[in-house]
């Protein structure tokens, strides 16, 4: 099952609490909480390019499965990480945040970010 495609955010849980915990400023949290971001994934073998557009902010991360790379975090910080693929899941650890992106039924993208006991979950539906 290929991750390639465009996905639009449908729902999210734990956004405000999670963003405060990772140090995002309150004004950015307020602006971002109601924006329906679009995630575009290009998968070519073990190489991935992930583009997330949230309003005017565009975040692009490219990586190869199993190889260390620099990933831009939600706060804009560049963090060295390794992304692993396990079936229909992409997993990585960025500092203390564990990220799991799961492709469900080929049409839903479920992102789960965990920091200690805090969980931020995003559900996006495939557009194309």
């Amino acid at each position: 099952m290929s991750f390639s495609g465009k996905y639009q955010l449908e729902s999210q849980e734990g956004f405000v609490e999670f963003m405060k915990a990772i140090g995002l400023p309150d004004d950015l949290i307020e602006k971002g909480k109601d924006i329906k971001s679009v995630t575009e994934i290009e998968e070519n073998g073990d190489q991935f390019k992930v583009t997330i557009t949230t309003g005017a902010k565009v975040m692009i991360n490219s990586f190869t499965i199993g190889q260390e790379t620099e990933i831009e975090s939600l706060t804009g910080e560049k963090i060295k990480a390794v992304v692993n693929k396990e079936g229909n899941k992409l997993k990585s650890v960025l500092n203390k945040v564990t990220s799991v992106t799961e492709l469900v039924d080929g049409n839903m993208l479920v992102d789960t970010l965990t920091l200690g006991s805090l969980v931020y979950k995003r559900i996006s539906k495939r557009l194309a």
Side-chain angles (χ1 to χ4, degrees), residues 17-127:
E17 299 81 1
F18 191 88
M19 295 304 156
K20 283 184 187 225
I22 63 169
L24 209 63
D26 286 345
D27 62 324
L28 292 181
I29 293 171
E30 199 55 39
K31 280 184 202 169
K33 70 179 184 180
D34 296 321
I35 295 176
K36 298 289 186 201
S37 63
V38 174
T39 301
E40 185 171 2
I41 300 175
E42 297 172 39
E43 177 183 0
N44 186 359
D46 281 347
Q47 296 183 330
F48 283 76
K49 180 180 176 187
V50 179
T51 305
I52 301 171
T53 305
T54 307
K57 180 168 174 32
V58 178
M59 189 168 70
I60 300 171
N61 284 307
S62 297
F63 55 88
T64 301
I65 296 298
Q67 294 183 16
E68 186 176 70
T69 189
E70 270 196 352
I71 302 279
E72 183 181 348
S73 73
L74 295 169
T75 58
E77 182 183 4
K78 297 274 189 184
I79 301 169
K80 287 194 182 297
V82 176
V83 180
N84 292 302
K85 187 175 180 189
E86 297 174 15
N88 62 337
K89 294 180 181 178
L90 299 174
K91 296 182 174 184
S92 64
V93 177
L94 306 174
N95 283 349
K96 296 178 181 151
V97 176
T98 300
S99 170
V100 178
T101 299
E102 182 177 8
L103 186 60
V104 180
D105 296 333
N107 287 315
M108 299 292 276
L109 203 60
V110 179
D111 293 303
T112 306
L113 302 177
T114 308
L115 175 63
S117 62
L118 285 176
V119 177
Y120 169 41
K121 188 173 184 179
R122 299 165 33 93
I123 298 173
S124 302
K125 187 170 184 172
R126 186 185 290 271
L127 295 173

